[in-house]
Amino acid sequence: MAFTALAAGVSGLQAFTEGVGVIADNITNVNTIGYKETRSRFSTLVTETSSRSSYSPGGVRAFAESLVSKQGLLLPSSSTTDMAIDGSGFFAVRNGDSAQDTTGELVYTRAGAFTEDNQGFYKNTAGLYLMGWRLDSAGEPPANLQSPSVLQPINISQLNGISEATSQVAMRANLQASTAVYAGTPAYVATGGQLASGAITPDFQTNIQIFDSLGREHTVLVSALKTGPNQWAYEYNMANSTGVLDATAHPDGLIAQGQMNFNTDGSIDLGSTTLFDVNAGARAAVALPAGNLSFTYDSSASATSLVSNGSINIDFGTDGLGDGWTQSESNSSLISKSVDGAKFDNVNGILIDEAGVVSATFENGLSKRIYQIPVAVFDNPNGLQRKQGNSYGVSDLSGEVTYQKAGNSGAGKVATNALEGSTVDLASEFAELIKVQRAFSASTRIITTSDEILQELTRI
C-alpha cells in the first residue's frame, strides 16, 4: 500500500508541476496580443480492483485546455494595419522564410498586429504573413473561396504606377422633347458617321473621359440627333483619334452608333433601342441591356504606344425608368456620369473595412479595392492545435477550416485600428497558482509519509 501511495504522490507532483507551467504561460502572456488563456484540468487515475475490502490508490493526471473561442477585449490602435476579429474566426497566415515561400504552413491566428516588411508584405509580430483573396477588376474575389490555393500574401506596394482600362460607362442625360426632327435622309440611322465627321451638327453633344490599358486618358464625344417622334440617333466617337485608334477600323474615331427610343412618359424603351459596334468596317448589333462594344487601338509602326484593345459596356439605364437617358421638355443636358478606369499614382496608404476589403489609396486621391481578408472558422475552435507564434493549426478535434467573408455565416467582422487583448485574468491566475502550489505541497507530504511507512517496514 505504501508503494502505491508513493506513486500517487509522484503523479500529483507531475500533474501540479504541469499546472504551474500552464499558469506561468498565461501570466507571461498577459500582454500578448490575441493570446488565449489555457486552463489545467485534472483527472483521476484509478487502479481497478474487484475487492470491496481493500483500496488501491491511483493518482491524478493533468490536461491542458485552451479556451481559444473566448473573445478578448478590443483595444484601440493608431495603426491602420492593426486588426482584430470581432466575433468568431481567425486570420489566415503563413509561416516561412519569405512571403513567396509557398512551402510554409498555413496556420490561423487572432494576433492582428500587422506591419509592412521591406518587400511590401504584411506580417505580424510573430513573422506570420497575412493571406487574402486577390480581387478582380470588378472588385470580386475568386469563385472557389474554399481552396487554400487562391489565398495570396497581401502586398500593396506592387501597385505603384498601375492603371486600369475603362470597361463601364453609365450616363444620366436628358434630351429635350421639343427639339425639331432632323429633316435629312433617314439613311443616316443605318449608315452612321455623319456626327463624328462633322457632316451633320448634333442636337446634343457631351463628352466623357476614358482610359486605355496604359492609363492614357482619351475624350469620347457622345452626340445625339432627333430623327423622329421619341427617336434619337446617337454616336460615340473619340476626339483627336489620329494615332490613337486604328483609322481603318474607326473612321473619324467612330466607336458605336444606334438609335434611342423613348416611351411616352419620357423613359427609355430598351426593347426598341439599338446599339451597333462599329469596328473594322463592321456594324454588329450589341444586345441590350448587357453587352460590350469593342474598339481597336492603333498598332501601326507610327503608333507611339501599343495598348490592349478596348471593350466597354454602355449602360443606357433601366428599361421604363428614368435612371439613365430620358426625354422631357427640360433642356438637353448631361445630369451625371459614371466611368471606371483610372491612372493610379504611387500608393500612399491602405484602408480596410469591416468586411475585410483592403483598398489601396494613391497620391492622386484615387482608391482601388485590391484584396479581401477571409475569416477562417471552425466547428470546434477549442480543438485547434497550438502552434509557434500564437497561432493554431487544424486538428482532428477542430474540424476542417471554412473560409468566410467577414460578417457572413457566423464569421466575425474585421475591426480596424484595433487589437484583441489577451484573455488572461491576472487575479484569477494568481489565485489558481496558490491552489496548485498548495496541492503540490500536499503531494510532497504524501511522499514523505509513504517514505516514513517504508522505513518502519524495513525495521521489522
Side-chain angles (χ1 to χ4, degrees):
M1 183 66 70
F3 286 105
T4 55
L6 184 63
V10 171
S11 72
L13 294 182
Q14 293 174 337
F16 298 127
T17 299
E18 291 184 21
V20 172
V22 168
I23 296 171
D25 203 20
N26 288 339
I27 293 175
T28 54
N29 284 282
V30 68
N31 291 320
T32 301
I33 295 300
Y35 179 79
K36 302 301 180 180
E37 66 173 312
T38 303
R39 285 295 181 201
S40 292
R41 298 291 183 252
F42 301 99
S43 175
T44 57
L45 290 173
V46 178
T47 302
E48 294 187 9
T49 177
S50 59
S51 174
R52 293 179 179 269
S53 61
S54 63
Y55 180 81
S56 296
V60 66
R61 182 180 179 184
F63 296 89
E65 179 185 12
S66 295
L67 307 180
V68 181
S69 60
K70 187 176 180 180
Q71 174 76 54
L73 180 66
L74 298 188
L75 307 173
S77 170
S78 59
S79 174
T80 57
T81 57
D82 282 347
M83 294 176 286
I85 295 178
D86 186 6
S88 301
F90 301 82
F91 297 110
V93 291
R94 174 179 286 158
N95 59 27
D97 296 333
S98 66
Q100 294 92 341
D101 183 7
T102 57
T103 62
E105 183 183 7
L106 195 61
V107 293
Y108 309 94
T109 187
R110 300 274 293 194
F114 294 100
T115 55
E116 189 175 3
D117 68 5
N118 58 359
Q119 293 182 319
F121 296 97
Y122 288 87
K123 61 181 182 180
N124 65 11
T125 52
L128 302 175
Y129 291 94
L130 179 63
M131 308 296 287
W133 296 314
R134 183 65 185 261
L135 304 181
D136 60 19
S137 59
E140 294 298 324
N144 185 11
L145 300 183
Q146 301 309 317
S147 174
S149 63
V150 301
L151 292 174
Q152 300 181 20
I154 291 178
N155 188 314
I156 301 298
S157 64
Q158 297 174 345
L159 301 173
N160 288 329
I162 68 167
S163 59
E164 184 176 285
T166 297
S167 62
Q168 300 284 336
V169 171
M171 298 175 59
R172 287 191 64 205
N174 181 70
L175 300 174
Q176 190 170 19
S178 60
T179 302
V181 175
Y182 176 65
T185 171
Y188 164 84
V189 178
T191 58
Q194 290 95 326
L195 299 180
S197 66
I200 298 177
T201 301
D203 294 319
F204 170 73
Q205 188 173 76
T206 188
N207 66 78
I208 56 175
Q209 307 302 313
I210 68 170
F211 297 86
D212 61 26
S213 60
L214 293 181
R216 298 184 304 175
E217 188 174 5
H218 307 287
T219 299
V220 172
L221 300 177
V222 184
S223 308
L225 183 75
K226 191 170 185 179
T227 56
N230 296 356
Q231 293 181 354
W232 293 74
Y234 68 90
E235 289 182 359
Y236 282 74
N237 71 285
M238 184 177 291
N240 303 318
S241 63
T242 302
V244 178
L245 288 181
D246 185 293
T248 302
H250 302 283
D252 300 314
L254 186 64
I255 298 171
Q257 55 97 207
Q259 179 176 282
M260 285 186 287
N261 289 342
F262 295 93
N263 299 310
T264 54
D265 62 356
S267 62
I268 193 165
D269 179 10
L270 286 183
S272 58
T273 294
T274 59
L275 171 63
F276 293 97
D277 186 347
V278 180
N279 195 348
R283 188 172 180 271
V286 177
L288 295 177
N292 289 354
L293 60 91
S294 61
F295 48 97
T296 304
Y297 283 103
D298 185 12
S299 59
S300 64
S302 60
T304 58
S305 301
L306 299 179
V307 298
S308 301
N309 290 329
S311 178
I312 295 180
N313 179 270
I314 302 295
D315 185 1
F316 290 88
T318 307
D319 188 26
L321 298 180
D323 57 355
W325 286 88
T326 59
Q327 180 186 249
S328 73
E329 192 46 40
S330 299
N331 291 333
S332 297
S333 63
L334 174 66
I335 301 171
S336 65
K337 59 185 176 181
S338 175
V339 183
D340 67 355
K343 175 187 176 183
F344 299 101
D345 287 342
N346 293 329
V347 177
N348 66 358
I350 69 170
L351 295 174
I352 305 172
D353 62 20
E354 66 178 14
V357 175
V358 181
S359 299
T361 58
F362 299 86
E363 292 177 351
N364 58 1
L366 298 176
S367 65
K368 180 176 175 60
R369 293 155 56 100
I370 307 297
Y371 293 94
Q372 185 166 10
I373 299 170
V375 176
V377 295
F378 298 86
D379 291 335
N380 178 27
N382 292 329
L384 289 167
Q385 181 182 7
R386 297 177 68 190
K387 296 283 188 176
Q388 189 72 20
N390 198 15
S391 62
Y392 303 90
V394 179
S395 73
D396 293 338
L397 296 176
S398 66
E400 293 299 321
V401 62
T402 301
Y403 299 105
Q404 302 286 359
K405 295 181 180 179
N408 289 357
S409 303
K413 295 181 179 179
V414 175
T416 56
N417 293 99
L419 293 171
E420 183 179 7
S422 171
T423 59
V424 173
D425 181 353
L426 203 55
S428 176
E429 295 302 321
F430 284 143
E432 190 69 19
L433 184 61
I434 293 171
K435 290 167 55 180
V436 173
Q437 190 272 337
R438 292 291 184 265
F440 182 91
S441 297
S443 294
T444 62
R445 296 301 298 271
I446 295 173
I447 295 174
T448 302
T449 303
S450 299
D451 178 51
E452 292 175 354
I453 293 172
L454 289 172
Q455 289 181 21
E456 291 295 329
L457 288 172
T458 58
R459 294 194 187 101
I460 296 177

